[in-house]
Amino acid sequence: MEKPSEISSAKMFGGQNKRYKHFSPTLGCSMTFFIYFPPSPTPTHKFPVLYWLSGLTCTDENFIAKSGAQRVAADEGVALIAPDTSPRGLNVEGEADSWDFGVGAGFYLNATQEKWKNWRMYEYVVKELPKVLSENFEQLDTSRASIFGHSMGGHGALTIYLKNLDKYKSVSAFAPICNPINCPWGQKAFSNYLGDNKSDWEEYDATSLIAKHNNLSATILIDQGEDDKFLPDQLLPKKFEEACRSVNVPLLLRFQPGYDHSYYFIATFIDDHIRHHAQALNL
């Protein structure tokens, strides 16, 4: 596996935002990702890692530039990892025809349909990227990891966490797509990536998964803006809340009045999320 090459670096709150490029065998293309390294107390110090999964149309840059997460990450001593949202540059026919499918819309699953066989963001996030990090960045302790995300990335964070409770200490999400099998974004993506078998879809639906993977100790934190235009038709947090209640999974679902689906909303509540994860990671 080739070593990632650094393509940019900028100091922030005493630490460094660094962007890297590497070839991904899982996805069959070059990928970029960001790491925010907090200021290090000692030369040999190892930081726990917190993965951020972004939403539809995003790249690895949005969160690093817009969230303001670095201030509290620096205080708490947590490294932030922000991967891209899909393979790029493969020139699959139709990959850029719509904003909610294809490029920028990987949905953090492993596609089973031949045309989209490179769309394996689940495998990339869960297996390949942690291996790249552990083999190339000695200041990261990838055995202490948590995960969070926004919208499509909130869906990704919830499903990846629930299916890998041994790999992550905690999870949180901003305005996640909680029940994709029952919303237009999810139905469009899943039918194209996974085919018509609905039982395959349930493997990437947090509301469906909670019944199977409910041995949770850490509380799930979700923030949802009440003025989010996607709330009624696409996000369906109440469905997830009902599923959690039915199996006694600890969920803190906070509806925030007046907030929308944007990074203004994320930046407002990001500190709570970083601290939520720092507490779990530093136990």
Side-chain angles (χ1 to χ4, degrees):
M1 198 180 282
E2 68 163 297
K3 191 176 171 62
S5 56
E6 185 180 311
I7 50 179
S8 72
S9 180
K11 189 171 182 177
M12 191 175 187
F13 299 116
Q16 295 283 336
N17 292 311
K18 289 183 178 285
R19 195 183 196 200
Y20 297 90
K21 185 175 187 174
H22 75 120
F23 181 80
S24 164
T26 302
L27 305 173
C29 63
S30 287
M31 292 293 283
T32 52
F33 61 87
F34 262 101
I35 306 176
Y36 175 70
F37 295 98
S40 191
T42 66
T44 56
H45 184 78
K46 283 182 171 287
F47 297 106
V49 297
L50 176 53
Y51 296 93
W52 170 267
L53 305 183
S54 284
L56 289 164
T57 74
C58 289
T59 68
D60 54 316
E61 295 183 280
N62 300 68
F63 176 75
I64 293 297
K66 294 179 175 179
S67 70
Q70 293 91 333
R71 185 193 301 270
V72 174
D75 288 347
E76 296 286 353
V78 174
L80 303 172
I81 316 293
D84 204 347
T85 54
S86 79
R88 292 182 194 267
L90 293 168
N91 299 317
V92 175
E93 185 198 351
E95 67 175 16
D97 285 359
S98 54
W99 65 274
D100 56 357
F101 179 77
V103 170
F107 270 85
Y108 305 101
L109 47 72
N110 290 338
T112 55
Q113 301 305 290
E114 179 61 24
K115 181 176 179 179
W116 303 103
K117 63 180 186 289
N118 293 83
W119 267 248
R120 297 177 59 79
M121 288 302 294
Y122 178 90
E123 184 88 1
Y124 177 76
V125 169
V126 175
K127 294 183 179 170
E128 185 182 328
L129 186 55
K131 191 164 186 281
V132 168
L133 298 176
S134 66
E135 289 178 359
N136 292 285
F137 303 99
E138 57 191 18
Q139 60 272 62
L140 302 180
D141 178 5
T142 54
S143 69
R144 285 189 296 151
S146 290
I147 192 163
F148 66 154
H150 170 233
S151 195
M152 176 185 74
H155 139 77
L158 291 171
T159 53
I160 284 171
Y161 174 76
L162 291 172
K163 288 158 72 108
N164 299 276
L165 292 172
D166 57 328
K167 286 188 167 74
Y168 305 96
K169 308 286 188 194
S170 53
V171 68
S172 73
F174 292 86
I177 304 171
C178 290
N179 190 200
I181 63 174
N182 286 317
C183 80
W185 282 339
Q187 290 163 349
K188 178 176 179 176
F190 288 6
S191 59
N192 282 285
Y193 290 137
L194 302 171
D196 296 329
N197 186 347
K198 301 284 173 73
S199 66
D200 293 341
W201 298 13
E202 290 176 1
E203 282 303 304
Y204 298 105
D205 182 291
T207 301
S208 303
L209 288 170
I210 203 80
K212 293 192 226 174
H213 305 281
N214 55 27
N215 184 26
L216 276 67
S217 48
T219 298
I220 297 172
L221 170 63
I222 294 177
D223 273 312
Q224 172 63 61
E226 284 187 359
D227 284 13
D228 186 329
K229 67 182 179 184
F230 301 116
L231 175 56
D233 302 322
Q234 301 282 14
L235 305 177
L236 312 178
K238 292 285 194 187
K239 296 270 193 196
F240 185 66
E241 185 179 37
E242 287 164 22
C244 287
R245 193 181 294 125
S246 70
V247 289
N248 296 314
V249 162
L251 170 68
L252 177 57
L253 171 58
R254 309 192 301 189
F255 285 95
Q256 305 291 2
Y259 287 92
D260 60 13
H261 198 69
S262 70
Y263 266 88
Y264 301 120
F265 158 62
I266 294 169
T268 303
F269 300 102
I270 194 71
D271 292 10
D272 289 353
H273 286 247
I274 302 286
R275 291 193 183 103
H276 168 81
H277 294 295
Q279 188 177 2
L281 289 165
N282 291 316
L283 287 175

